[in-house]
Amino acid sequence: AAFHVHQLYGSPVLKSRLAPLVLTSSEVQIFEQHLKETLQRFQRLYPKIPCSITYFLAGSLPGSAHLHLRQLSLFGMITRLPGSILNTYARNIYGSSSIKNKSWFQQIRDLCLLYHLPHLTAPLSKFKFKKLTKSHVINYWEIKLRYEAAPLKSLQYFNPNFMSLASPHPIWKTVGSSPAKVAMATVQAQMLSGRYRTEHLCSLWSPNSSENCQLSSSCTFISEDIEHILRKCEALKSTRQKMYTFSLKYCEAMNPIQPIVAKYSDPSHPQFCQYLLDCSVLEDVIVAKQTFGNDVLHHLFLITRTYCYDLHKERMKLRGRWNPF
């Protein structure tokens, strides 16, 4: 709901009258930083999280891309006004060898070259130009953000190759309007982002440099990371067993997802952690979704976010840090 409200009311006001301006790189950066922080707060993600996480989970383009779409839309309108002063000026300036570096039309030419868009050919209709522009801009930023996310070891279970900047991630699309489900999805998103506060991560800035698990004596010399919490920690074994039983019981009468849940709910399965954090990228889930529709994702994410949240809740209780109010 926050994404829709921001898209319908907040973002248009924020971008109003910016398209015809010649903005400096620092001014564009201010706009982009504001939009990024806004999306992070909507999702309750930690600060300084990778940009790819913020934008792919929110299904939103970066701030600079939104400005580029506005500018290109205005340029498309100019190209469809033959005989106008701006149209004539644009053709004259693009036909010459010297263009002022700080001019608006120079920025437009740079954007057209960046996104592989035509700027000197015959004008397209409004619908065709907007469709072409949006597809090229989204494709460019998806490739760019995927490339930036690839080398980050903390994003082990984050696979942006199956995500889009045109629509929010199923983590958010499957929660509906339930505050409880949103709270559960928040924990799942933090784990998927690689910034969930495990002992391994906190040791990078905590005075206590030990990254070992503190929940069980049998895990004293084992590093506590996401995989340890989800799969191995002995202190969470009873919770893990309870959630395994819940998962199987929930899908008893659901033939489309029953084999998927039975297969991936076993902690010994190699894809167990991937299943809990983002099952939408698994091949079995993709095939089931294409066959039976989006209800498959709704049921699977209900199971997995409950699983993640209960492990998080039990961990916080054992550490004496659980405060439900």
Side-chain angles (χ1 to χ4, degrees):
F3 292 144
H4 285 300
V5 170
H6 182 261
Q7 184 177 5
L8 290 175
Y9 301 104
S11 184
V13 174
L14 187 65
K15 296 180 287 187
S16 177
R17 302 183 182 182
L18 292 180
L21 300 180
V22 180
L23 300 176
T24 64
S25 58
S26 60
E27 290 170 337
V28 174
Q29 183 60 34
I30 291 173
F31 178 86
E32 184 153 338
Q33 184 66 22
H34 172 77
L35 180 61
K36 178 186 174 184
E37 291 179 357
T38 300
L39 295 176
Q40 284 179 349
R41 293 185 182 117
F42 283 160
Q43 302 174 86
R44 301 176 189 176
L45 298 174
Y46 293 112
K48 299 182 180 180
I49 206 164
C51 295
S52 55
I53 289 283
T54 301
Y55 295 129
F56 274 118
L57 291 186
S60 172
L61 289 165
S64 57
H66 284 286
L67 289 178
H68 296 165
L69 285 174
R70 284 291 182 106
Q71 290 179 302
L72 291 169
S73 178
L74 181 58
F75 175 69
M77 183 183 69
I78 293 174
T79 62
R80 294 189 297 273
L81 295 174
S84 69
I85 295 176
L86 289 176
N87 186 291
T88 304
Y89 178 73
R91 291 189 174 277
N92 290 338
I93 199 170
Y94 288 148
S96 65
S97 58
S98 60
I99 301 179
K100 295 181 180 179
N101 292 331
K102 294 184 179 180
S103 71
W104 186 82
F105 286 102
Q106 171 63 35
Q107 286 192 352
I108 293 299
R109 190 176 74 162
D110 292 342
L111 293 180
C112 290
L113 294 174
L114 177 67
Y115 296 122
H116 303 288
L117 293 168
H119 61 284
L120 285 175
T121 58
L124 301 174
S125 66
K126 178 181 178 180
F127 174 77
K128 288 184 177 180
F129 184 79
K130 282 199 168 185
K131 183 178 180 181
L132 178 68
T133 301
K134 188 173 183 179
S135 64
H136 280 226
V137 172
I138 290 177
N139 183 63
Y140 171 84
W141 284 101
E142 284 181 347
I143 293 174
K144 180 179 174 64
L145 292 173
R146 286 166 184 164
Y147 178 79
E148 291 177 357
L152 299 178
K153 295 182 180 179
S154 60
L155 304 184
Q156 180 180 357
Y157 304 106
F158 179 76
N159 192 344
N161 293 323
F162 296 90
M163 302 176 192
S164 171
L165 294 176
S167 177
H169 191 276
I171 281 181
W172 305 124
K173 292 174 69 176
T174 58
V175 296
S177 58
S178 169
K181 291 181 181 179
V182 172
M184 294 179 184
T186 299
V187 174
Q188 189 178 28
Q190 291 172 354
M191 290 183 173
L192 178 62
S193 71
R195 296 304 189 272
Y196 180 77
R197 298 317 196 214
T198 63
E199 291 295 332
H200 173 74
L201 182 64
C202 292
S203 65
L204 299 176
W205 63 78
S206 173
N208 180 16
S209 59
S210 173
E211 58 182 53
N212 298 331
C213 179
Q214 301 178 5
L215 303 182
S216 171
S217 57
S218 58
C219 302
T220 304
F221 301 104
I222 301 177
S223 176
E224 187 196 51
D225 53 13
I226 289 293
E227 182 179 2
H228 178 77
I229 294 172
L230 297 179
R231 189 201 296 268
K232 301 176 182 178
C233 185
E234 287 295 323
L236 302 176
K237 186 176 181 179
S238 59
T239 304
R240 206 175 290 114
Q241 182 61 42
K242 181 184 72 174
M243 293 311 304
Y244 177 75
T245 305
F246 160 76
S247 300
L248 296 181
K249 186 175 181 181
Y250 178 85
C251 65
E252 277 180 344
M254 299 181 184
N255 293 330
I257 69 169
Q258 186 177 21
I260 296 175
V261 174
K263 177 180 179 180
Y264 292 106
S265 292
D266 184 359
S268 63
H269 193 280
Q271 295 290 334
F272 173 73
C273 294
Q274 182 65 67
Y275 162 74
L276 289 186
L277 299 182
D278 186 8
C279 62
S280 66
V281 304
L282 296 173
E283 182 179 354
D284 295 349
V285 177
I286 294 173
V287 172
K289 178 194 171 185
Q290 293 173 343
T291 306
F292 301 102
N294 289 326
D295 285 347
V296 169
L297 290 182
H298 281 270
H299 291 301
L300 288 177
F301 272 96
L302 185 147
I303 293 172
T304 57
R305 66 170 164 262
T306 305
Y307 207 125
C308 292
Y309 184 77
D310 273 33
L311 289 174
H312 160 76
K313 180 179 177 180
E314 184 62 24
R315 177 175 178 267
M316 291 293 103
K317 285 183 177 179
L318 292 174
R319 292 176 60 87
R321 295 172 55 188
W322 178 250
N323 183 10
F325 302 104

